[in-house]
Amino acid sequence: MLGLEVLNPGVLSLVQDLGRFGVAHLGLSQGGPADLHAFCWGNRLLNNPSNSASIEIALGQASFKALADLSIAITGADMGASIDGISQANWQSFRLLKHQTLRFSGCRKGQRAYLSIEGGVQTKAIFDSVATVVRNQLGGLAQQGQDFSHGKPLQKGDKIAFQASREHAKQGQQLVPTQFIPDYSETLKIGVIESYQNDAFEAVQKHRFYQSQYVVTAHSDRMGIQLKGPKIESPVTGIISEGIVAGSIQIPANGLPIILACDRQTLGGYAKLGSVIKRDQWRLAQAKPGTKIHFEPADLNLATQQWMTFMRFFGL
Amino acid sequence: MYPSIKPVSESAFIIYFGDHIDLALPQLIARVKARLEQLSGFALIECIASYTTLLVEYHPLKISAIELHALIESALRELPAENQVAQGKCIELPTYYSLQSGPDLALIAKAKGLSIEHIISIHSQQRYTVCAIGFAPGFAFLASVDKAIQSPRHHKPRMLVPAGSVGIADQQTAVYPTQSPGGWNIIGNCPLPLFDPSGDPITPFSVGDSVQFNAIDFDDYVSLGGQICWDWRS
């Protein structure tokens, strides 16, 4: 049934589930939430299955009108959400009543908020996913008469269906324990799994990479985080194109590192220093332009254990 | 030294099969990929083959790194000898080579001192190997273009290359499955749909397949659904 009407989609609001998997060999990007941590908490607060679709709101300025009574949750960036003018805190579930308006203003901390809805956003999947990848023209809300959705961000007037359940109406408010709520305004220490062409880089280049401060630039998006700072000299002008994982740290010809994100291309031809550990990829997704970051080597086994703990915790 | 198996993230390995482009490798990699997918069931999330590598992303709660590493080793051990590798399928692509559909034909003709007819026959006589699929959905990197017509990418990519455009970039050739920006030298157009999200398969290409371009005339091009691009913006 219909739950929300988009009054204003803001800068960029996208329907996202965990992502589109198993089709990268055909050249399709994975999509999914830029900040998996915040996304997973949103669904958990509502007792939704972990792959339920939510709305990723970038930079705020979005507003929605309730078309029915429903349970929702907001996680991730603090965008000063309010219901009919009364402020509503993040990292908790709450009831939104029919005719009420939920409004996000600008970002205070972080830059991506997740609006999760009871039962998850209902729309047609393509390749087993509703994740919106604008570049691939796949995912998102299907328009009337379409077999599948074509990768459109939310538009003014879109109506969002949810799956109502009696349980939600009875269930009390759920809160995320404070130790799981990140402070998105911190200077970031970014863990690096040294891999790919790391061995080919000169020691002096790697030293510079770890000792320097980098700044997130405004050119960053869901494809990649572009950094400003001391240049790293790549040992080669290009490599034979190879598969790239999320978090890959690519060094292009201009020497400025790019950290590839969820909408990345599937293949890349630049040398890479390694990959950013998942937890820090999610933190980077919330880093506004100007955020200062430092890199440090991460332990592969520890990072794998942490990823497994996360997957178990959220049932991924 | 090769093949070598290296972890690249919390939940991915990359397998390197060589350090230079070798047209025998894509078929070999396709075989390893198929074997590995058989052995590991639902534990693999992605398996991306490209020229000399296979990237394997896995679900660490379904298989451990140690177990997967052992499976990869066994898939590699069971590799058949090169002459026993089954040939991938051959895909024929009807292509309308013309100045109208291939505005860079004249450029290549001038740079190489060849006639346009000559360029067309060199490009369409070669049988190419699908070495990788990426850049865009269904975009297959095909090698190897005859040295006589190899041409570098444009310094400034075109803002818009129409769907079906057949391009050359150095030793590689490819068809743009959908309209996109692109820097390759465009020499013709293939009217067949090469990426259709509602199709099965959604793209005809797999790494290791071979591809043959067949020159067609304007009437055949139009009857196959080919369209004329009137506005080649640079």
Side-chain angles (χ1 to χ4, degrees), chain A residues 263-274:
Chain A
D263 285 1
R264 71 194 176 282
Q265 297 183 5
T266 53
L267 301 176
Y270 292 113
K272 298 175 286 300
L273 279 163

Side-chain angles (χ1 to χ4, degrees), chain A residues 18-37:
Chain A
L18 288 171
R20 193 166 285 110
F21 299 102
V23 283
H25 64 286
L26 305 172
L28 292 172
S29 301
Q30 162 193 320
D35 179 354
L36 186 65
H37 170 87

Side-chain angles (χ1 to χ4, degrees), chain A residues 178 185 223 251 255 283:
Chain A
T178 47
S185 61
M223 277 184 76
I251 308 296
R283 297 302 305 273

Side-chain angles (χ1 to χ4, degrees), chain A residues 145-222:
Chain A
Q146 289 181 338
D147 288 349
F148 58 90
S149 47
H150 291 263
K152 289 261 191 301
L154 290 184
Q155 313 282 319
K156 179 180 161 69
D158 279 350
K159 294 191 169 66
I160 296 162
F162 72 113
Q163 199 164 34
S165 80
R166 278 195 187 164
E167 298 303 310
H168 280 98
K170 280 186 281 175
Q171 187 191 322
Q173 188 176 48
Q174 304 284 309
L175 301 170
V176 175
T178 47
Q179 70 264 32
F180 293 113
I181 300 177
D183 177 0
Y184 295 132
S185 61
E186 285 171 339
T187 296
L188 294 177
K189 276 245 180 252
I190 300 294
V192 175
I193 295 168
E194 298 185 330
S195 56
Y196 283 120
Q197 287 74 38
N198 187 284
D199 290 347
F201 282 82
E202 284 176 32
V204 58
Q205 302 298 333
K206 287 189 254 190
H207 184 78
R208 182 180 307 138
F209 176 69
Y210 288 122
Q211 296 307 313
S212 303
Q213 176 176 283
Y214 286 91
V215 177
V216 175
T217 74
H219 298 295
S220 304
D221 57 18
R222 286 177 46 91

Side-chain angles (χ1 to χ4, degrees), chain B residues 141-213:
Chain B
F141 291 85
L142 310 173
S144 208
V145 172
D146 191 300
K147 273 209 167 63
I149 58 167
Q150 290 185 6
S151 309
R153 288 172 178 81
H154 296 301
H155 283 298
K156 204 173 152 238
R158 282 193 175 89
M159 298 286 286
L160 217 123
V161 172
S165 292
V166 176
I168 292 178
D170 300 315
Q171 58 182 330
Q172 306 177 103
T173 185
V175 186
Y176 286 84
T178 45
Q179 167 183 305
S180 78
W184 293 31
N185 299 279
I186 307 302
I187 59 166
N189 193 288
C190 167
L192 299 187
L194 296 174
F195 176 70
D196 174 9
S198 56
D200 182 25
I202 61 171
T203 177
F205 306 112
S206 294
V207 169
D209 286 349
S210 54
V211 169
Q212 180 85 52
F213 291 91

Side-chain angles (χ1 to χ4, degrees), chain B residues 70-82:
Chain B
L71 280 191
I72 294 171
E73 281 183 324
S74 87
L76 291 171
R77 262 199 316 273
E78 290 158 26
L79 272 189
E82 215 173 288

